[in-house]
Amino acid sequence: MKKSFLLFAIFSIFGFTSATLNQTNIKANLPALGISSEKLKIIDYLDKNQTNIAFFGVDRRNTSDFGNSDIIMIISINSETKKIKLSSIMRDTYVSIYARGKNKINAAYLEGGPQLAVRTLNENFDMAIQDYISVDFFGSAKIFDALGGAAINVKPEELEFINNYLGEIAGIDKVPAKFITKPGLQLLDGKQIVAYSRIRAVGNGDYERIQRQKTVMEALLSNIQNKRKEDLIPIILTNILPNIETNLNYPDLFKIGTSLMNSESKTFEHARFPLDRASKGVIIDKIWYLSADLQSTTKSLHDFIYRDINPTN
């Protein structure tokens, strides 16, 4: 029983639950997701045991907006190997967006919500994703608070930027900011974690921000593994479900959960795409984009997800 609750809690970190009040069905029209019957056959041939779910962390000021998806991941779950893989897609990647032309991939969510965002992943990386989970920064903060925050080692050069984001959040939700006063390893609350994960002006830009996001996930995973099962149920029901949006339902989740119920693994394999050797920064109309060799990137992504080949830059 303890393992069952632990796995359900792990799903909840990444939004693997269905909040009926925040549910949007995008499966009704597969062509609108960029999925043909031929593509479904190819993906099934690659690995019929593989389930891929799009995860979006959305930058929006209220729930009526779509917002840019500043966190874009493909969560891959294999029912046979019991592995969970996280593929981070760089937000500035220059791609084709259906009926909108070329733009940064994070603009797809702003232009057409989860359906267009999933379609953009499918059409640019030869995927057949049908399911998604999204959460905005305010929802993330509430989930992180409910899980007890996370111990993060804050670098001195990160302090100013974390506090700038905290000030921005305070101006939106009209709640005084709790600024961080010193660097070092410390327990961060939900808003502080969100601010930390948004930093991109320190270090190597978005490359390092993805590493911060990975750090946050690992810290929270460690945190939740130490919780008692009786403490997890109210957190899931009252703090996680209302703060996510997904088209997954309970039968979907039961199928995923049973495939992982006996897994002893507590780690997630992670990779970032496009790879350095397959991409470069370009300026187009005075805007910076990450131009990628999409054919090479697609091969590396498929190798990671379907063939257990870890990419190297």
Side-chain angles (χ1 to χ4, degrees), residues 130-151:
Q130 301 178 51
D131 299 305
Y132 82 98
I133 303 141
S134 67
V135 60
D136 62 27
F137 294 134
F138 297 99
S140 296
K142 293 174 183 177
I143 292 172
F144 296 155
D145 278 335
L147 294 173

Side-chain angles (χ1 to χ4, degrees), residues 149-159 162 180 182-189 192-193 196-197 199 202 208 211-220:
I152 301 293
N153 186 19
V154 178
K155 299 176 183 178
E157 62 270 24
E158 295 171 335
L159 270 179
I162 292 177
I180 299 176
K182 62 181 180 180
L185 183 64
Q186 55 196 294
L187 182 65
L188 303 188
D189 65 22
Q192 292 169 339
I193 293 169
Y196 170 79
S197 66
I199 297 173
V202 173
E208 195 164 326
Q211 286 302 118
R212 291 188 186 94
Q213 293 163 1
K214 180 174 180 287
T215 296
V216 166
M217 289 183 175
E218 289 175 342
L220 287 171

Side-chain angles (χ1 to χ4, degrees), residues 23-165:
Q23 193 169 44
T24 302
N25 181 17
I26 64 171
K27 280 186 177 180
N29 187 354
L30 290 184
L33 295 177
I35 302 173
S36 64
S37 57
E38 290 76 15
K39 182 177 287 188
L40 283 175
K41 291 177 183 178
I42 292 171
I43 295 300
D44 187 58
Y45 171 77
L46 286 172
D47 196 334
K48 64 182 179 181
N49 300 305
Q50 193 77 33
T51 298
N52 295 308
I53 302 166
F55 176 81
F56 305 105
V58 184
D59 181 3
R60 62 184 173 192
R61 300 300 180 259
N62 61 71
T63 54
S64 64
D65 297 333
F66 279 141
N68 288 315
S69 54
D70 282 351
I71 299 174
I72 305 170
M73 289 185 178
I74 299 171
I75 303 172
S76 303
I77 305 166
N78 191 294
S79 60
E80 184 176 28
T81 66
K82 310 299 189 292
K83 287 184 178 181
I84 301 178
K85 297 178 182 179
L86 305 179
S87 303
S88 292
I89 308 298
M90 299 285 285
R91 65 188 290 276
D92 294 322
T93 305
Y94 195 52
V95 298
S96 296
I97 301 177
Y98 178 77
R100 272 78 170 179
K102 302 202 73 171
N103 204 342
K104 296 183 180 184
I105 193 170
N106 73 330
Y109 203 102
L110 175 65
E111 294 287 339
Q115 180 170 288
L116 184 59
V118 170
R119 180 172 191 157
T120 302
L121 286 171
N122 287 337
E123 292 185 334
N124 285 276
F125 303 111
D126 202 21
M127 300 294 293
I129 300 169
Q130 301 178 51
D131 299 305
Y132 82 98
I133 303 141
S134 67
V135 60
D136 62 27
F137 294 134
F138 297 99
S140 296
K142 293 174 183 177
I143 292 172
F144 296 155
D145 278 335
L147 294 173
I152 301 293
N153 186 19
V154 178
K155 299 176 183 178
E157 62 270 24
E158 295 171 335
L159 270 179
E160 176 186 354
F161 296 95
I162 292 177
N163 288 331
N164 285 344
Y165 281 125

